[in-house]
Amino acid sequence: MLPQHECFPCLTPPVDESPGTHPLKLLEFPPIYYELYILTRIFTPEYYIKSSYRPKEYLRNKADIYSDVKDYPRFWRPGNKPFNPLKLAEKTEKIVCRREENKVSRKYTHFYVAGVYRGIVTACGVGCCLRCFYCWVPLSRDYPEHYGKYYTASQVVQNIVKLARKYRVKKARISCCEPTISREHLLQVLDLIEEAKEIKLFILETNGMIFGVNKSFVKEVLDYSKVYVRVSIKAGEPEDLTWRTGADGDFYELPFKAVEYFNEEAEPLKRFHVAAMTDSRIMSSREREKIIRRLWEINPILAITLEEEIVDPYDTTLIRLEKAGVKIFK
């Protein structure tokens, strides 16, 4: 049977051990999986090392900002026209990235150490290709032209290493954004992370949209020994993708394609796993079951170990829920 975690045996992943089931009970999941499995449940919501620190981006009075950037999706509101997430990624890249000779800089708002994953240095980037109404990240997602400063990959890793040394943590990630929007910048960061002795693990959190149309990108990322990927599934039905994220429902298959590509190139739990926002307040049991069945078809391990998320009442989340006309908090 699956080995129990020495500190939290109650959180050992459940497995059906009845006769005739898939022999997953014979597998021994690597330590990184337990760490991810446990900490995504214990440290929710995310907290900062300095608990009093709240980025100014969270201020409600900045929820509607004038901008001269036209035809750029901001908050997802009822009646808005669904958008193409791949085209939005291209448009966002033009705002948040710039080339300086042979290097690509990307916008970041700040660097900090978060309590998730038992402590992880976080580079808070700018820009995403979805508009999830339950998203917690700063308003830089919606108004990328107004937030952040440009950092080269070298500057990003220097900041990461500095915090890793200060707080004695060995993990890092790029969060608050979709890291794959700038492929070249991300790969430049990973090149340097691979060389940084202070960082033992880099967790790449992604919505899978860009990976879903680019298998070669998946292979490139997996070439880095320190990278562990977390693919976040947003919906199990086309119409639900539009309702939650604003993206055209025709693209709902892309995250699943990304999962298929990762499954073909790497072993689940050792190099990647899947997460999904399955909060019953915004997802029906039918849709949740469909997601799990789809993952089972790709690889049963992915279905059994699905990381299921819930909506937390961050300031920015409450703003986005209000804009979308969704009421799940009193």
Side-chain angles (χ1 to χ4, degrees), residues 14 36 41 76 89 118 121 126 150 180 201 208 229 237 243 270:
L36 292 167
R41 286 154 174 76
W76 179 239
R118 287 183 181 167
V121 181
V126 176
Y150 289 99
T180 62
L201 179 69
V229 181
E237 301 280 0
W243 179 60
K270 288 187 177 179

Side-chain angles (χ1 to χ4, degrees), residues 5 19 89 103 129 143 162 171 204 223-224 245 251 261 286 293 297 306 310 312:
H5 189 277
K103 299 178 181 179
C129 57
Y143 295 91
K162 181 179 178 180
K171 308 179 192 72
L204 179 58
D223 282 341
Y224 296 95
T245 74
F251 297 89
Y261 293 153
R286 175 181 173 277
R293 283 198 302 270
E297 292 171 358
L306 175 65
I310 61 172
D312 290 311

Side-chain angles (χ1 to χ4, degrees), residues 131-229:
R131 293 294 178 264
C132 306
F133 60 57
Y134 53 80
C135 185
W136 62 270
V137 307
L139 297 179
S140 56
R141 185 204 75 174
D142 311 282
Y143 295 91
E145 68 274 30
H146 287 293
Y147 290 88
K149 297 190 301 182
Y150 289 99
Y151 291 81
T152 63
S154 177
Q155 291 170 327
V156 171
V157 176
Q158 285 174 10
N159 278 282
I160 287 174
V161 168
K162 181 179 178 180
L163 286 171
R165 288 173 177 167
K166 181 176 181 179
Y167 292 104
R168 298 181 181 180
V169 295
K170 299 182 182 297
K171 308 179 192 72
R173 64 173 177 168
I174 295 175
S175 192
C176 311
C177 67
E178 175 50 49
T180 62
I181 279 179
S182 178
R183 179 175 182 170
E184 192 171 352
H185 175 79
L186 176 60
L187 295 178
Q188 289 175 357
V189 169
L190 295 181
D191 282 337
L192 297 173
I193 287 291
E194 201 75 3
E195 300 172 1
K197 297 179 180 179
E198 294 83 357
I199 303 301
K200 303 300 181 184
L201 179 69
F202 186 92
I203 299 176
L204 179 58
E205 300 171 331
T206 177
N207 59 38
M209 287 289 174
I210 295 173
F211 280 132
V213 293
N214 204 323
K215 189 174 182 179
S216 64
F217 195 4
V218 171
K219 293 180 178 180
E220 284 182 311
V221 165
L222 290 174
D223 282 341
Y224 296 95
S225 63
K226 296 181 181 180
V227 171
Y228 182 94
V229 181

